[in-house]
Coordinates of all heavy atoms in Angstrom, one line a residue:
M1 N 11.2 -11.6 12.3 CA 9.9 -12.1 12.7 C 9.1 -10.9 13.4 O 9.8 -10.0 14.0 CB 10.2 -13.2 13.7 CG 8.9 -13.7 14.4 SD 8.8 -15.4 14.1 CE 7.4 -15.8 15.0
G2 N 7.9 -11.0 13.4 CA 7.0 -9.9 14.0 C 6.3 -10.4 15.1 O 6.5 -11.5 15.7
M3 N 5.3 -9.7 15.4 CA 4.4 -10.0 16.6 C 3.5 -11.1 16.2 O 2.9 -11.1 15.1 CB 3.5 -8.7 16.9 CG 2.5 -8.9 18.0 SD 3.1 -9.2 19.6 CE 4.0 -7.7 19.9
K4 N 3.3 -12.1 17.1 CA 2.4 -13.2 16.9 C 1.1 -12.8 17.5 O 1.0 -12.2 18.6 CB 2.9 -14.5 17.6 CG 4.0 -15.1 16.7 CD 4.2 -16.5 17.3 CE 5.2 -17.2 16.3 NZ 5.1 -18.7 16.5
T5 N 0.0 -13.2 16.8 CA -1.3 -12.9 17.3 C -2.3 -13.9 16.9 O -2.1 -14.5 15.8 CB -1.8 -11.4 17.0 OG1 -3.0 -11.1 17.5 CG2 -1.9 -11.3 15.4
A6 N -3.4 -14.0 17.5 CA -4.5 -14.9 17.1 C -5.7 -14.0 16.7 O -6.1 -13.1 17.4 CB -4.9 -15.8 18.3
I7 N -6.3 -14.3 15.5 CA -7.4 -13.6 15.1 C -8.5 -14.6 14.7 O -8.2 -15.6 14.4 CB -7.1 -12.6 14.0 CG1 -6.6 -13.4 12.7 CG2 -6.1 -11.5 14.4 CD1 -6.4 -12.6 11.5
S8 N -9.7 -14.0 14.7 CA -10.8 -14.9 14.2 C -11.3 -14.3 12.9 O -11.6 -13.2 12.8 CB -11.9 -14.9 15.3 OG -11.4 -15.5 16.5
V9 N -11.5 -15.2 12.0 CA -12.0 -14.8 10.6 C -13.0 -15.9 10.3 O -12.9 -17.0 10.7 CB -10.9 -14.6 9.6 CG1 -10.0 -13.5 9.9 CG2 -10.1 -15.9 9.3
P10 N -14.0 -15.5 9.5 CA -14.9 -16.5 8.9 C -14.2 -17.7 8.2 O -13.2 -17.4 7.6 CB -15.8 -15.8 7.9 CG -15.7 -14.3 8.4 CD -14.3 -14.2 9.0
D11 N -14.7 -18.8 8.3 CA -14.1 -20.1 7.7 C -13.9 -19.9 6.2 O -12.8 -20.3 5.7 CB -15.0 -21.3 8.0 CG -15.0 -21.7 9.4 OD1 -14.2 -21.2 10.2 OD2 -15.9 -22.5 9.7
T12 N -14.9 -19.2 5.6 CA -14.7 -19.1 4.1 C -13.6 -18.1 3.8 O -12.9 -18.4 2.8 CB -16.0 -18.6 3.5 OG1 -16.4 -17.4 4.2 CG2 -17.1 -19.7 3.6
L13 N -13.4 -17.1 4.5 CA -12.4 -16.1 4.2 C -11.0 -16.8 4.6 O -9.9 -16.6 3.8 CB -12.5 -14.9 5.1 CG -11.5 -13.8 5.0 CD1 -11.4 -13.3 3.6 CD2 -11.8 -12.7 5.9
F14 N -10.9 -17.6 5.6 CA -9.7 -18.3 6.0 C -9.3 -19.2 4.8 O -8.2 -19.3 4.4 CB -9.9 -19.1 7.3 CG -8.7 -19.9 7.7 CD1 -7.7 -19.3 8.4 CD2 -8.5 -21.2 7.3 CE1 -6.5 -20.0 8.7 CE2 -7.4 -21.9 7.6 CZ -6.4 -21.3 8.4
A15 N -10.3 -20.0 4.3 CA -10.0 -20.9 3.2 C -9.6 -20.2 1.9 O -8.6 -20.6 1.3 CB -11.3 -21.7 2.9
R16 N -10.2 -19.1 1.6 CA -9.7 -18.3 0.5 C -8.3 -17.8 0.6 O -7.5 -17.9 -0.3 CB -10.6 -17.1 0.3 CG -12.0 -17.4 -0.3 CD -12.8 -16.3 -0.4 NE -12.4 -15.3 -1.4 CZ -12.7 -14.0 -1.4 NH1 -13.6 -13.6 -0.6 NH2 -12.1 -13.2 -2.3
A17 N -7.9 -17.3 1.8 CA -6.6 -16.8 2.1 C -5.6 -18.0 2.0 O -4.5 -17.8 1.5 CB -6.5 -16.2 3.5
D18 N -6.0 -19.1 2.5 CA -5.1 -20.3 2.5 C -4.8 -20.7 1.0 O -3.7 -21.0 0.7 CB -5.8 -21.4 3.3 CG -4.7 -22.5 3.7 OD1 -3.6 -22.1 4.2 OD2 -5.1 -23.7 3.6
R19 N -5.9 -20.8 0.2 CA -5.7 -21.1 -1.2 C -4.8 -20.2 -1.9 O -4.0 -20.5 -2.7 CB -7.1 -21.3 -1.9 CG -7.9 -22.5 -1.6 CD -9.1 -22.7 -2.5 NE -9.9 -21.6 -2.5 CZ -10.9 -21.4 -1.7 NH1 -11.2 -22.3 -0.8 NH2 -11.8 -20.4 -1.8
F20 N -5.1 -18.9 -1.6 CA -4.3 -17.8 -2.3 C -2.8 -18.0 -1.9 O -1.9 -17.9 -2.7 CB -4.8 -16.4 -1.9 CG -4.0 -15.4 -2.6 CD1 -4.3 -15.0 -3.9 CD2 -3.1 -14.7 -1.8 CE1 -3.5 -13.9 -4.5 CE2 -2.4 -13.6 -2.4 CZ -2.6 -13.3 -3.7
A21 N -2.5 -18.1 -0.6 CA -1.2 -18.3 -0.1 C -0.4 -19.4 -0.9 O 0.7 -19.3 -1.3 CB -1.1 -18.5 1.4
R22 N -1.1 -20.6 -1.0 CA -0.5 -21.7 -1.7 C -0.3 -21.4 -3.1 O 0.8 -21.7 -3.7 CB -1.4 -22.9 -1.6 CG -1.3 -23.6 -0.2 CD -2.0 -25.0 -0.2 NE -3.3 -25.1 -0.7 CZ -4.4 -24.9 0.0 NH1 -4.4 -24.7 1.3 NH2 -5.6 -25.0 -0.6
R23 N -1.3 -20.7 -3.8 CA -1.1 -20.4 -5.2 C 0.1 -19.4 -5.4 O 0.8 -19.6 -6.4 CB -2.4 -19.8 -5.7 CG -2.4 -19.6 -7.2 CD -3.7 -19.2 -7.8 NE -4.0 -17.8 -7.5 CZ -5.1 -17.3 -6.9 NH1 -6.1 -18.2 -6.5 NH2 -5.2 -16.0 -6.6
V24 N 0.3 -18.4 -4.6 CA 1.4 -17.5 -4.8 C 2.7 -17.9 -4.1 O 3.7 -17.1 -4.0 CB 1.0 -16.0 -4.5 CG1 -0.2 -15.6 -5.3 CG2 0.6 -16.0 -3.0
N25 N 2.6 -19.1 -3.5 CA 3.8 -19.7 -2.8 C 4.3 -18.7 -1.6 O 5.5 -18.4 -1.6 CB 4.9 -20.0 -3.8 CG 5.9 -20.9 -3.2 OD1 5.6 -21.7 -2.4 ND2 7.2 -20.8 -3.6
K26 N 3.4 -18.3 -0.8 CA 3.7 -17.4 0.3 C 3.1 -18.1 1.6 O 2.2 -18.9 1.5 CB 3.0 -16.0 0.2 CG 3.7 -15.1 -0.8 CD 3.0 -13.8 -0.8 CE 3.9 -12.6 -1.0 NZ 3.2 -11.4 -0.8
S27 N 3.6 -17.7 2.7 CA 3.0 -18.1 4.0 C 1.7 -17.4 4.2 O 1.4 -16.3 3.7 CB 4.0 -17.8 5.1 OG 4.0 -16.5 5.4
R28 N 0.8 -18.1 4.9 CA -0.5 -17.4 5.2 C -0.3 -16.2 6.0 O -0.9 -15.1 5.8 CB -1.3 -18.5 6.0 CG -2.8 -18.0 6.1 CD -3.6 -19.1 6.8 NE -2.7 -20.0 7.6 CZ -2.8 -21.3 7.7 NH1 -3.7 -22.0 7.2 NH2 -1.9 -22.0 8.4
S29 N 0.7 -16.1 6.9 CA 1.1 -15.0 7.7 C 1.5 -13.8 6.8 O 1.1 -12.7 7.0 CB 2.1 -15.3 8.6 OG 1.7 -16.1 9.7
S30 N 2.2 -14.1 5.8 CA 2.7 -13.1 4.9 C 1.5 -12.6 4.0 O 1.4 -11.3 3.9 CB 3.7 -13.7 3.9 OG 4.1 -12.7 2.9
V31 N 0.6 -13.4 3.6 CA -0.6 -12.9 2.9 C -1.4 -12.0 3.8 O -1.9 -11.0 3.4 CB -1.4 -14.1 2.4 CG1 -2.8 -13.6 1.9 CG2 -0.6 -14.8 1.3
V32 N -1.6 -12.4 5.0 CA -2.5 -11.6 6.0 C -1.8 -10.3 6.3 O -2.4 -9.2 6.3 CB -2.8 -12.4 7.3 CG1 -3.4 -11.5 8.3 CG2 -3.7 -13.6 7.0
S33 N -0.5 -10.4 6.5 CA 0.2 -9.1 6.7 C 0.2 -8.2 5.6 O 0.0 -6.9 5.7 CB 1.8 -9.5 7.1 OG 2.4 -8.5 7.6
D34 N 0.4 -8.7 4.3 CA 0.4 -7.8 3.1 C -1.1 -7.2 3.0 O -1.2 -6.0 2.7 CB 0.7 -8.6 1.9 CG 2.1 -9.1 1.8 OD1 2.9 -8.6 2.6 OD2 2.5 -9.9 0.9
A35 N -2.0 -8.0 3.2 CA -3.5 -7.5 3.1 C -3.7 -6.4 4.1 O -4.4 -5.4 3.9 CB -4.4 -8.7 3.3
L36 N -3.2 -6.7 5.4 CA -3.5 -5.6 6.4 C -2.8 -4.3 6.0 O -3.2 -3.2 6.2 CB -3.0 -6.1 7.8 CG -3.2 -5.3 9.0 CD1 -4.7 -4.9 9.1 CD2 -2.8 -6.0 10.2
Q37 N -1.5 -4.4 5.6 CA -0.7 -3.3 5.1 C -1.4 -2.5 4.1 O -1.6 -1.3 4.1 CB 0.7 -3.7 4.6 CG 1.5 -2.6 4.2 CD 1.9 -1.7 5.3 OE1 2.2 -2.0 6.4 NE2 1.8 -0.3 5.0
E38 N -1.9 -3.2 3.1 CA -2.6 -2.6 1.9 C -3.9 -1.9 2.4 O -4.2 -0.8 2.1 CB -3.0 -3.6 0.9 CG -3.7 -3.0 -0.3 CD -4.0 -4.0 -1.5 OE1 -3.2 -4.9 -1.6 OE2 -4.9 -3.7 -2.2
Y39 N -4.7 -2.5 3.3 CA -5.9 -2.0 3.9 C -5.6 -0.7 4.6 O -6.3 0.3 4.4 CB -6.6 -3.0 4.8 CG -7.8 -2.5 5.4 CD1 -9.1 -2.6 4.7 CD2 -7.9 -1.8 6.6 CE1 -10.3 -2.2 5.3 CE2 -9.1 -1.4 7.2 CZ -10.2 -1.6 6.5 OH -11.4 -1.0 6.9
L40 N -4.6 -0.8 5.4 CA -4.2 0.5 6.2 C -3.7 1.6 5.4 O -4.0 2.8 5.6 CB -3.2 0.1 7.3 CG -3.7 -0.9 8.4 CD1 -2.5 -1.2 9.3 CD2 -4.8 -0.2 9.2
S41 N -3.0 1.3 4.3 CA -2.5 2.3 3.4 C -3.7 3.0 2.7 O -3.7 4.2 2.5 CB -1.6 1.7 2.4 OG -0.4 1.2 3.0
R42 N -4.7 2.1 2.3 CA -5.8 2.7 1.6 C -6.8 3.5 2.5 O -7.4 4.4 2.0 CB -6.7 1.6 1.0 CG -6.1 0.9 -0.2 CD -7.0 -0.2 -0.6 NE -6.3 -0.9 -1.7 CZ -6.7 -0.9 -3.0 NH1 -7.9 -0.3 -3.3 NH2 -6.2 -1.6 -4.0
H43 N -6.7 3.3 3.8 CA -7.6 4.0 4.7 C -6.9 5.0 5.6 O -7.4 5.4 6.6 CB -8.4 3.0 5.5 CG -9.3 2.1 4.7 ND1 -9.0 1.1 4.0 CD2 -10.7 2.4 4.4 CE1 -10.0 0.6 3.3 NE2 -11.0 1.4 3.6
S44 N -5.7 5.3 5.2 CA -4.9 6.3 6.0 C -4.4 7.4 5.1 O -3.3 7.5 4.7 CB -3.7 5.7 6.6 OG -4.1 4.7 7.5
P45 N -5.4 8.3 4.6 CA -5.0 9.3 3.7 C -3.9 10.2 4.2 O -3.1 10.8 3.4 CB -6.3 10.1 3.4 CG -7.2 9.8 4.6 CD -6.8 8.4 5.2
D46 N -3.7 10.4 5.4 CA -2.6 11.2 5.9 C -1.3 10.7 5.6 O -0.3 11.4 5.2 CB -2.7 11.4 7.5 CG -3.9 12.3 7.8 OD1 -4.4 13.0 7.0 OD2 -4.3 12.2 9.1
E47 N -1.1 9.4 5.7 CA 0.1 8.7 5.2 C 0.4 8.9 3.8 O 1.5 9.1 3.3 CB 0.1 7.2 5.6 CG 0.1 7.1 7.1 CD 0.1 5.5 7.5 OE1 0.4 4.7 6.6 OE2 -0.3 5.2 8.7
V48 N -0.7 8.8 3.0 CA -0.4 9.0 1.6 C 0.0 10.4 1.3 O 0.9 10.6 0.4 CB -1.8 8.6 0.8 CG1 -1.7 8.9 -0.7 CG2 -2.1 7.2 0.9
T49 N -0.7 11.4 1.9 CA -0.3 12.8 1.6 C 1.1 13.0 2.1 O 1.8 13.7 1.4 CB -1.2 13.6 2.5 OG1 -2.6 13.4 2.0 CG2 -0.9 15.1 2.3
E50 N 1.5 12.4 3.2 CA 2.9 12.6 3.7 C 3.9 12.0 2.7 O 4.9 12.6 2.4 CB 3.0 12.0 5.0 CG 4.5 12.1 5.6 CD 4.5 11.5 7.0 OE1 3.6 11.5 7.7 OE2 5.7 11.1 7.3
A51 N 3.6 10.8 2.1 CA 4.5 10.3 1.1 C 4.6 11.1 -0.1 O 5.6 11.2 -0.7 CB 3.9 8.8 0.8
M52 N 3.4 11.6 -0.5 CA 3.5 12.6 -1.7 C 4.3 13.8 -1.5 O 5.0 14.2 -2.3 CB 2.0 12.9 -2.1 CG 1.2 11.7 -2.8 SD -0.5 12.1 -3.1 CE -0.3 13.6 -4.2
D53 N 4.1 14.3 -0.3 CA 4.8 15.6 0.1 C 6.4 15.3 0.1 O 7.2 16.0 -0.4 CB 4.4 16.0 1.4 CG 3.0 16.7 1.5 OD1 2.5 17.0 0.3 OD2 2.5 17.0 2.5
Q54 N 6.8 14.1 0.6 CA 8.2 13.8 0.6 C 8.7 13.6 -0.8 O 9.8 13.9 -1.1 CB 8.4 12.5 1.4 CG 8.2 12.7 2.9 CD 8.3 11.3 3.7 OE1 8.4 10.3 3.1 NE2 8.2 11.5 5.0
A55 N 7.9 12.9 -1.7 CA 8.3 12.8 -3.1 C 8.5 14.1 -3.8 O 9.4 14.3 -4.5 CB 7.3 11.9 -3.9
I56 N 7.6 15.0 -3.6 CA 7.6 16.3 -4.1 C 8.9 17.1 -3.6 O 9.6 17.7 -4.4 CB 6.3 17.1 -3.9 CG1 5.2 16.5 -4.8 CG2 6.5 18.6 -4.3 CD1 3.8 17.0 -4.5
D57 N 9.1 17.0 -2.4 CA 10.2 17.7 -1.7 C 11.5 17.1 -2.3 O 12.4 17.9 -2.6 CB 10.3 17.5 -0.2 CG 9.2 18.3 0.5 OD1 8.6 19.2 -0.1 OD2 8.9 18.0 1.7
S58 N 11.6 15.8 -2.6 CA 12.9 15.3 -3.1 C 13.0 15.8 -4.6 O 14.1 15.9 -5.0 CB 12.9 13.7 -3.0 OG 11.9 13.2 -3.9
L59 N 11.9 15.9 -5.3 CA 12.0 16.4 -6.6 C 12.6 17.9 -6.6 O 13.3 18.2 -7.5 CB 10.6 16.4 -7.3 CG 10.1 15.0 -7.7 CD1 8.8 15.1 -8.3 CD2 11.1 14.5 -8.8
E60 N 12.1 18.6 -5.7 CA 12.5 20.1 -5.6 C 14.0 20.1 -5.4 O 14.6 21.1 -5.8 CB 11.8 20.8 -4.5 CG 10.3 21.0 -4.9 CD 9.5 21.6 -3.7 OE1 10.0 21.8 -2.7 OE2 8.3 21.8 -4.0
E61 N 14.6 19.1 -4.8 CA 16.0 19.2 -4.5 C 16.8 18.7 -5.8 O 17.9 19.1 -5.9 CB 16.4 18.3 -3.3 CG 15.8 18.7 -2.0 CD 15.9 17.6 -0.9 OE1 16.5 16.6 -1.2 OE2 15.4 17.9 0.2
S62 N 16.3 17.9 -6.7 CA 17.1 17.3 -7.7 C 16.6 17.4 -9.1 O 17.4 17.2 -10.0 CB 17.3 15.8 -7.3 OG 16.0 15.1 -7.3
A63 N 15.4 17.7 -9.3 CA 14.8 17.7 -10.7 C 14.8 19.1 -11.3 O 14.7 20.1 -10.7 CB 13.4 17.1 -10.7
D64 N 14.9 19.1 -12.6 CA 14.7 20.4 -13.3 C 13.3 20.8 -13.3 O 12.4 20.1 -12.9 CB 15.3 20.3 -14.7 CG 14.5 19.4 -15.7 OD1 13.3 19.3 -15.5 OD2 15.1 18.8 -16.6
Q65 N 13.1 22.0 -13.7 CA 11.7 22.7 -13.6 C 10.7 21.9 -14.3 O 9.5 21.7 -13.8 CB 11.7 24.1 -14.0 CG 10.4 24.9 -13.7 CD 10.1 24.9 -12.2 OE1 10.9 25.0 -11.4 NE2 8.8 24.7 -12.0
F66 N 10.9 21.4 -15.5 CA 10.0 20.7 -16.3 C 9.5 19.4 -15.7 O 8.4 19.1 -15.5 CB 10.5 20.4 -17.7 CG 9.6 19.5 -18.5 CD1 8.4 19.9 -19.1 CD2 9.9 18.1 -18.6 CE1 7.6 19.1 -19.8 CE2 9.1 17.3 -19.3 CZ 7.9 17.8 -19.9
V67 N 10.5 18.6 -15.2 CA 10.2 17.3 -14.6 C 9.4 17.6 -13.3 O 8.4 16.9 -13.0 CB 11.5 16.5 -14.2 CG1 11.2 15.3 -13.5 CG2 12.2 16.2 -15.5
K68 N 9.8 18.5 -12.5 CA 9.1 18.9 -11.3 C 7.7 19.2 -11.5 O 6.8 18.8 -10.8 CB 9.9 20.0 -10.5 CG 9.3 20.3 -9.2 CD 10.0 21.3 -8.4 CE 10.9 22.3 -9.1 NZ 11.5 23.3 -8.3
S69 N 7.4 20.1 -12.5 CA 6.1 20.5 -12.7 C 5.2 19.4 -13.3 O 4.1 19.2 -12.8 CB 6.2 21.7 -13.8 OG 4.9 22.1 -14.2
A70 N 5.8 18.6 -14.2 CA 5.0 17.5 -14.7 C 4.7 16.4 -13.6 O 3.6 15.9 -13.6 CB 5.8 16.8 -15.9
T71 N 5.6 16.2 -12.8 CA 5.4 15.3 -11.7 C 4.3 15.7 -10.7 O 3.4 15.0 -10.3 CB 6.6 14.9 -10.9 OG1 7.6 14.5 -11.9 CG2 6.5 13.9 -9.8
K72 N 4.4 17.0 -10.3 CA 3.4 17.6 -9.5 C 2.0 17.5 -10.1 O 1.0 17.1 -9.4 CB 3.7 19.0 -9.1 CG 4.8 19.3 -8.1 CD 5.0 20.7 -7.8 CE 6.0 20.9 -6.7 NZ 6.3 22.3 -6.3
R73 N 1.9 17.8 -11.4 CA 0.6 17.7 -12.0 C 0.0 16.3 -12.0 O -1.1 16.0 -11.7 CB 0.6 18.2 -13.5 CG 0.5 19.7 -13.7 CD 0.3 20.0 -15.1 NE 1.1 19.3 -16.1 CZ 2.3 19.7 -16.5 NH1 2.8 20.9 -16.0 NH2 3.0 19.0 -17.3
T74 N 0.9 15.3 -12.3 CA 0.5 13.9 -12.3 C 0.1 13.5 -10.9 O -0.9 12.8 -10.8 CB 1.7 13.1 -12.8 OG1 2.0 13.5 -14.2 CG2 1.3 11.6 -12.9
L75 N 0.9 13.8 -9.9 CA 0.6 13.3 -8.6 C -0.7 13.9 -8.0 O -1.5 13.3 -7.4 CB 1.7 13.7 -7.6 CG 3.0 12.9 -7.7 CD1 4.0 13.4 -6.8 CD2 2.7 11.4 -7.3
K76 N -1.1 15.1 -8.5 CA -2.3 15.7 -8.0 C -3.5 15.2 -8.7 O -4.6 15.2 -8.2 CB -2.3 17.3 -8.3 CG -1.4 18.0 -7.3 CD -1.4 19.5 -7.6 CE -0.4 20.2 -6.7 NZ -0.3 21.6 -7.0
Q77 N -3.3 14.6 -9.9 CA -4.5 13.9 -10.6 C -4.7 12.5 -10.2 O -5.8 12.0 -10.4 CB -4.2 13.9 -12.1 CG -4.1 15.4 -12.7 CD -3.6 15.4 -14.2 OE1 -3.3 14.4 -14.7 NE2 -3.6 16.6 -14.7
V78 N -3.8 11.9 -9.6 CA -3.9 10.5 -9.2 C -4.8 10.4 -8.0 O -4.6 11.1 -7.0 CB -2.5 9.8 -8.9 CG1 -2.7 8.4 -8.4 CG2 -1.7 9.8 -10.2
E79 N -5.8 9.4 -8.1 CA -6.7 9.2 -6.9 C -5.9 8.1 -6.0 O -5.8 7.0 -6.3 CB -8.0 8.7 -7.3 CG -9.0 8.4 -6.1 CD -10.3 8.0 -6.6 OE1 -10.7 8.3 -7.7 OE2 -10.9 7.3 -5.8
W80 N -5.6 8.6 -4.8 CA -4.9 7.8 -3.9 C -5.9 7.1 -2.9 O -6.0 6.3 -2.2 CB -3.9 8.5 -3.1 CG -2.8 9.1 -4.0 CD1 -2.8 10.3 -4.6 CD2 -1.6 8.5 -4.4 NE1 -1.7 10.5 -5.4 CE2 -1.0 9.4 -5.2 CE3 -1.0 7.3 -4.1 CZ2 0.3 9.1 -5.8 CZ3 0.2 7.0 -4.7 CH2 0.8 7.9 -5.6

């Protein structure tokens, strides 16, 4: 269980979130938590860069040169 909090959202947004939660068989709290996590991930480029750096570092420890080079090229081309 996490932190409980009260937030205010427009009625229409609340209704959409409620319908979505029922459709995907999740709790409303889970839907809101997932949405907040995605929003923060998209708006925190430092965290994305850190994750990419960690992925590249792990490749340097275990992958052969071809795989490492191809992965670095791919990761640099992806828009995060």
